[in-house]
Amino acid sequence: MKSKSVSIKLKTLLFLISFLFFFQCKKTDSNTGGESVSQNIQKPPNVLWIVIDSLRGDIVGRYGVTPNLDLFQKNAINFQYHLVNAAWTRPSTLVFFTGKYASANPVNFWDYPTTKSEVEAFYRSEKRPLPKLLKDHSFDTYMVGNNPFLTDKFGLGVDVGFDSLYDFSNYSEDTKKITKKTFEVLEEISAKEKPFFLFLNYNDPHKPYTPPQGFTNRIQTNEILDEKKRNYLGEVAFVDEELGLVFEELKNKNLWDNTLILITADHGEVMHSAHAISPFTGTNTYYGHGQDLFLENIHVPLLVKLPGSNVKQSISSMTRSIDLFPTVLDYCGLSIPKLIQGKSLKPLIENQETTKRTYYGETRFTQGYGEGSEFLLQRSYRFHEVGKFWQGSVGSEFYLYTDTKKDPNQINPLRISNISDLKDMKLSPTLEKKILRFWKQIRSMEPKLPLYHLSIQPESKDTDIQIRVPQGRIRMANLPDDVVLEEKGKSVQIHTKRTKAFEISFEVYPDVSFPEFTVWFSKKQIPKADIYTGYFGLSMASCNSNCDLLYESGAQRPMILPNAKVYFWKEGGQKKSYSSKQELGTDALEILKKQGYVQ
């Protein structure tokens, strides 16, 4: 009995020892595992994106007015040939935050007002601009600066999704206020554990150039400067001093090391007298911007400090502002959406780039394409709407070719009146082929215009068709050989003696108005009730207004009804809807006056 009791006690003791040993091991494993996880899971880097409005690409380190940027550049990556894909603030900023060309979103880039319809279209099409995307991944997002195009309050822009937005576009003396608010935001950020995205946007040195007293005295150059350029450089010196304070505060708050810092501009500034009057818009753009895509308008600085890194290098390859969105995501460890049109700079930084980047840009009345030092710029009506800058007539669209190695200031471009004239210009075969290829690249980069189709089953040997548009012009895309075409301004007259069924296709250039058409067989007009339309073949008589959806066929060719004398359909999506008469509100007008956009 006694031995049995001892046996039970021994078993109990062994069980307790085993239990304690197991528990201790489990606790140790748990602690070790926890430490391992905490070591392996790194906090995403913070992102500080600094934009200095209107800062040209040839200013930093050249005039003695950027000591803080010069010091930053010595300890960062300097992209020497960085080009923005749009030449004024709103489209350029939206390129930053969408990673797409300006024409890929519904917000216009020719006039200041943003209509209600295009703002709503932006919110439908752009579900995750960069601030929203980063917010979805636990970033706190802030905007501090002077950029009235990042809010929809004034009829000038759209809300891209910042958690906190501090806009100083309503203030005349905004620069120091922006710095002060930045300090307050950094104080708030430093008390949190979450990563942050801060977009810091200084409006200086945007015109009017009004530097505080003493800043022009910092200019060091032998160049003869006029008053405007001296004041411009004075404002650069002013902003540089403020940035030095921001850099110091970042270090004081221990936020410097783990922050990806990008410093760039949204566009440059025209300072060469040869470009004083834009050849594309006819507008005086001297000490301004937005009216062309010459290098002085699109070449801007790009300085990048990587998080947790002291990488220092200078990169001479072409980069584009459209590349910044995917670069931020890449360094934050986030996947890049498929619809993004830019390419991350990370392969270039890590010397793994396999192909050279090419340039495509858009601004008022201008499209452009470039490879290396060579550019083809086109006067273009492609994206315009009836309004302040355009009244609906389409004129000549010439081209300017430049090679900036031979003509650095682009003051002696080769002018081409029409691409079809190339073969008569006696150019070298190599240059002719290159210009033609550049032209094709422009066409391939722009969004396609909708195509309209008319299928006709004649009843006689006498068929007449008239197509009319209120604005823009009709461009024929497909037409049988045995028809007579006569263009009369905004209308096209077509006559044929064909008795077999045929089709014609055309586009409205630009896509600003809906075409009207009339068909006659032997001088007898075909009534709307006998015209079928769209994918489902509904009678045109079933709709009297706002009939865009009725005509849609999407990418599918409709089944043409056997008894349809005339069948009409549209391929390529609904026309953008804009108001052509919208006026600027008082608040918006005052903001633009303070910023020098309007006089």
Side-chain angles (χ1 to χ4, degrees):
M1 191 74 180
K2 186 175 179 181
S3 75
K4 186 176 181 182
S5 174
V6 170
S7 175
I8 292 172
K9 286 179 180 180
L10 283 172
K11 287 180 179 179
T12 303
L13 183 60
L14 288 170
F15 173 79
L16 288 172
I17 291 170
S18 300
F19 177 80
L20 289 171
F21 179 80
F22 175 81
F23 178 80
Q24 185 62 34
C25 289
K26 193 72 176 171
K27 184 177 179 182
T28 304
D29 288 346
S30 175
N31 288 340
T32 304
E35 289 169 2
S36 175
V37 169
S38 65
Q39 289 169 1
N40 290 333
I41 296 178
Q42 296 181 348
K43 179 184 175 184
N46 308 308
V47 180
L48 172 59
W49 187 329
I50 300 171
V51 168
I52 306 168
D53 203 314
S54 306
L55 185 61
R56 288 168 52 111
D58 60 354
I59 300 297
V60 175
R62 184 175 170 193
Y63 292 94
V65 292
T66 55
N68 291 296
L69 286 173
D70 294 351
L71 182 60
F72 183 93
Q73 179 178 282
K74 288 177 182 177
N75 296 282
I77 304 166
N78 176 23
F79 294 87
Q80 300 175 7
Y81 193 37
H82 184 68
L83 311 179
V84 290
N85 298 96
W88 64 283
T89 301
R90 186 173 68 213
S92 194
T93 304
L94 290 181
V95 169
F96 291 160
F97 292 150
T98 64
K100 301 174 186 175
Y101 296 113
S103 60
N105 74 65
V107 181
N108 78 77
F109 52 86
W110 49 88
D111 206 350
Y112 294 120
T114 47
T115 65
K116 183 179 179 182
S117 61
E118 66 187 275
V119 172
E120 290 174 349
F122 178 85
Y123 294 148
R124 286 194 302 270
S125 64
E126 293 297 331
K127 301 296 185 185
R128 299 175 87 198
L130 184 60
K132 283 187 178 180
L133 195 155
L134 292 175
K135 181 180 177 180
D136 289 345
H137 289 86
S138 301
F139 281 73
D140 283 332
T141 62
Y142 302 83
M143 180 273 179
V144 180
N146 183 332
N147 190 327
F149 305 117
L150 288 177
T151 173
D152 54 16
K153 292 180 180 178
F154 306 113
L156 293 173
V158 291
D159 182 348
V160 294
F162 285 102
D163 291 315
S164 303
L165 187 144
Y166 305 101
D167 176 51
F168 291 85
S169 57
N170 242 331
Y171 295 85
S172 297
E173 303 295 331
D174 59 287
T175 301
K176 282 191 172 295
K177 292 181 175 66
I178 290 170
T179 303
K180 181 182 177 182
K181 176 53 70 175
T182 300
F183 276 36
E184 294 173 8
V185 167
L186 292 177
E187 179 69 30
E188 179 182 329
I189 285 169
S190 64
K192 298 181 178 181
E193 292 295 323
K194 295 173 68 176
F196 68 84
F197 170 53
L198 170 57
F199 184 71
L200 175 56
N201 197 161
Y202 284 102
N203 188 54
D204 289 338
H206 194 290
K207 68 176 185 180
Y209 314 127
T210 55
Q213 190 173 358
F215 282 92
T216 55
N217 296 335
R218 302 182 183 187
I219 301 170
Q220 301 169 22
T221 182
N222 294 323
E223 182 182 326
I224 298 173
L225 303 174
D226 61 25
E227 183 181 8
K228 283 187 176 180
K229 188 160 185 178
R230 286 189 64 82
N231 288 333
Y232 170 89
L233 292 173
E235 285 202 348
V236 173
F238 180 34
V239 171
D240 181 84
E241 182 168 282
E242 295 299 298
L243 281 175
L245 299 175
V246 172
F247 295 159
E248 186 178 347
E249 188 67 7
L250 278 165
K251 293 171 183 175
N252 290 339
K253 299 292 185 187
N254 294 318
L255 297 172
W256 182 267
D257 290 339
N258 194 39
T259 299
L260 170 67
I261 303 178
L262 300 88
I263 304 176
T264 189
D266 49 351
H267 52 76
E269 197 83 332
V270 173
M271 294 184 181
H272 200 292
S273 58
H275 302 150
I277 304 298
S278 167
F280 303 100
T281 66
T283 302
N284 187 337
T285 186
Y286 202 38
Y287 285 98
H289 49 267
Q291 310 294 331
D292 63 58
L293 293 170
F294 291 123
L295 271 186
E296 60 178 350
N297 234 331
I298 62 172
H299 179 211
V300 300
L302 176 62
L303 308 175
V304 175
K305 183 197 83 68
L306 300 180
S309 171
N310 294 316
V311 173
K312 309 169 190 177
Q313 58 179 302
S314 189
I315 295 175
S316 59
S317 301
M318 176 194 289
T319 58
R320 303 82 50 92
S321 60
I322 204 165
D323 298 328
L324 300 183
F325 181 112
T327 300
V328 169
L329 295 185
D330 211 353
Y331 279 103
C332 288
L334 303 176
S335 59
I336 299 168
K338 292 180 180 179
L339 295 178
I340 296 304
Q341 293 173 303
K343 291 167 53 183
S344 171
L345 297 174
K346 196 172 184 180
L348 191 57
I349 292 169
E350 296 179 352
N351 200 28
Q352 295 178 357
E353 188 90 309
T354 56
T355 58
K356 290 185 177 180
R357 298 168 196 237
T358 60
Y359 177 81
Y360 172 69
E362 301 158 330
T363 194
R364 296 183 178 111
F365 275 107
T366 318
Q367 292 174 266
Y369 177 81
E371 294 180 3
S373 63
E374 298 174 87
F375 293 86
L376 183 68
L377 305 183
Q378 175 191 354
R379 185 172 195 256
S380 171
Y381 295 84
R382 174 65 176 81
F383 302 107
H384 280 68
E385 289 288 332
V386 178
K388 177 181 176 182
F389 292 98
W390 186 59
Q391 299 303 315
S393 62
V394 176
S396 66
E397 294 184 320
F398 58 83
Y399 301 83
L400 300 180
Y401 165 82
T402 59
D403 184 345
T404 58
K405 282 185 179 177
K406 301 174 182 176
D407 181 12
N409 294 314
Q410 298 175 289
I411 58 176
N412 295 303
L414 173 67
R415 185 184 175 103
I416 304 154
S417 298
N418 196 297
I419 287 296
S420 61
D421 296 338
L422 269 176
K423 58 182 179 296
D424 300 321
M425 293 181 67
K426 298 181 180 179
L427 304 175
S428 72
T430 301
L431 180 57
E432 182 181 327
K433 287 180 181 178
K434 183 176 291 183
I435 291 172
L436 185 60
R437 181 168 59 80
F438 280 24
W439 172 76
K440 288 179 179 179
Q441 285 294 328
I442 292 175
R443 298 283 77 79
S444 69
M445 299 295 282
E446 66 184 19
K448 298 296 181 278
L449 288 169
L451 267 180
Y452 299 91
H453 304 275
L454 268 172
S455 174
I456 308 293
Q457 297 192 44
E459 286 186 339
S460 67
K461 292 184 178 180
D462 191 12
T463 299
D464 288 285
I465 304 167
Q466 185 185 55
I467 307 169
R468 304 168 298 277
V469 288
Q471 278 97 21
R473 71 183 182 199
I474 295 164
R475 296 202 306 199
M476 302 306 298
N478 178 50
L479 193 69
D481 294 334
D482 55 351
V483 302
V484 178
L485 175 70
E486 184 182 359
E487 297 187 57
K488 297 180 179 179
K490 297 181 186 299
S491 70
V492 169
Q493 196 81 29
I494 297 170
H495 178 77
T496 182
K497 295 185 179 298
R498 285 179 65 110
T499 56
K500 292 183 179 180
F502 66 94
E503 288 183 10
I504 60 173
S505 303
F506 62 92
E507 60 189 22
V508 178
Y509 178 83
D511 183 23
V512 293
S513 57
F514 198 82
E516 300 172 353
F517 64 91
T518 310
V519 180
W520 294 268
F521 293 153
S522 298
K523 310 300 180 187
K524 181 180 178 182
Q525 183 175 332
I526 305 302
K528 283 188 174 182
D530 291 341
I531 299 175
Y532 298 90
T533 186
Y535 183 73
F536 297 103
L538 300 175
S539 168
M540 191 174 261
S542 62
C543 184
N544 294 317
S545 63
N546 299 321
C547 302
D548 251 15
L549 285 175
L550 179 68
Y551 307 133
E552 289 291 335
S553 182
Q556 300 284 334
R557 176 185 172 84
M559 295 289 291
I560 307 297
L561 303 176
N563 61 334
K565 300 173 184 176
V566 179
Y567 204 107
F568 173 69
W569 73 97
K570 180 185 178 187
E571 172 192 347
Q574 289 181 269
K575 191 186 83 65
K576 293 179 181 178
S577 176
Y578 297 105
S579 168
S580 60
K581 300 296 182 182
Q582 179 163 339
E583 298 293 332
L584 287 168
T586 304
D587 287 348
L589 198 58
E590 285 303 309
I591 288 170
L592 294 177
K593 284 181 178 178
K594 286 173 182 175
Q595 295 195 313
Y597 280 105
V598 295
Q599 306 301 317

